[in-house]
Amino acid sequence: MRVTPLLTGAIFLASMTATSTALAYGQGDIYTRFGVAKVSPTSDNGDFSDLGLEVDVDKDSGFAITFGYRFLDQLGVELLAAERFEHNINLGETDIDASTKHLPPTLTLQYYPFGGTDSSIQPYVGAGVNYTRFSDEKLAVGSLELDDSWGYAAQLGVDLLISEHWALNAAAWYLDIDSDATATIAGVDYDADVEIDPIVVMGGLSFRF
């Protein structure tokens, strides 16, 4: 069969349409993103005023994963989960060892400006709520307790599409994490308002089902 220019054009147009449909991120997509996340608390994390000790929470890194759903081309929701992060806590200039672990599940509503298109660059912004659960608090000279925290969250991210299902991903969150802390030393309780408020940066892959 002789391939005419018209048929050639039709085949090309069909292939382009199929490619666009395959790569377009939009309504109905279910996806996951995963990689390594670094949690960097802000400075000035609070102080135990009665003890005259400032609180300084160290950074930590670990595996993180998100699960998302796009209910409209440009709107979706995403849940951030991770393994427990462990932070060393420095108390002033002392050598007193303290630490805590936490889980930071975060739910955000996301906006995708290029949603529904075949753009290979898919940036997004999000806003939502964070719940942080503290556990395994330790204090070398006594005991330490950190109350769980609710706060707001803000997010920036981008997917760089490399195939129908896979993309490179980079994302960052600001998490409002404030906790009432109690240090018990020699039977006496000392209180502090601890503000961790970390920037969480994650790099990894995105997979669309």
Side-chain angles (χ1 to χ4, degrees):
M1 181 181 67
R2 191 167 67 93
V3 179
T4 65
L6 181 60
L7 181 58
T8 302
I11 294 172
F12 176 78
L13 181 60
S15 65
M16 289 298 291
T17 302
T19 301
S20 298
T21 301
L23 292 180
Y25 272 28
Q27 185 174 5
D29 284 348
I30 299 173
Y31 54 88
T32 180
R33 297 174 173 127
F34 52 91
V36 176
K38 182 177 182 179
V39 179
S40 301
T42 56
S43 57
D44 300 327
N45 301 130
D47 64 84
F48 287 96
S49 56
D50 291 340
L51 293 171
L53 297 177
E54 294 184 352
V55 177
D56 183 22
V57 182
D58 285 347
K59 304 174 183 178
D60 191 33
S61 299
F63 175 78
I65 188 169
T66 72
F67 302 95
Y69 176 71
R70 296 274 284 279
F71 54 88
L72 293 175
D73 281 343
Q74 294 183 321
L75 290 177
V77 291
E78 185 177 57
L79 176 65
L80 167 66
E83 64 177 329
R84 290 195 300 173
F85 294 98
E86 182 173 6
H87 299 276
N88 292 324
I89 301 174
N90 303 307
L91 299 176
E93 300 299 323
T94 70
D95 293 327
I96 299 174
D97 292 329
S99 65
T100 186
K101 295 180 180 180
H102 82 275
L103 284 172
T106 302
L107 183 66
T108 52
L109 175 67
Q110 300 171 313
Y111 171 69
Y112 293 79
F114 300 155
T117 74
D118 62 351
S119 173
S120 61
I121 301 175
Q122 293 284 340
Y124 54 91
V125 296
V129 63
N130 163 261
Y131 170 72
T132 298
R133 182 180 183 276
F134 294 96
S135 62
D136 291 348
E137 300 100 318
K138 296 178 181 177
L139 179 62
V141 296
S143 63
L144 177 66
E145 182 178 351
L146 293 167
D147 290 346
D148 295 347
S149 167
W150 286 93
Y152 65 88
Q155 180 189 29
L156 289 173
V158 63
D159 278 334
L160 303 178
L161 280 59
I162 54 180
S163 73
E164 179 180 354
H165 295 286
W166 291 97
L168 299 176
N169 175 259
W173 293 259
Y174 172 80
L175 304 181
D176 175 39
I177 302 177
D178 300 332
S179 176
D180 294 327
T182 301
T184 303
I185 302 173
V188 180
D189 292 341
Y190 300 92
D191 297 325
D193 295 326
V194 177
E195 299 180 359
I196 300 176
D197 299 341
I199 300 293
V200 180
V201 178
M202 184 177 82
L205 295 172
S206 174
F207 180 79
R208 179 176 60 158
F209 294 94

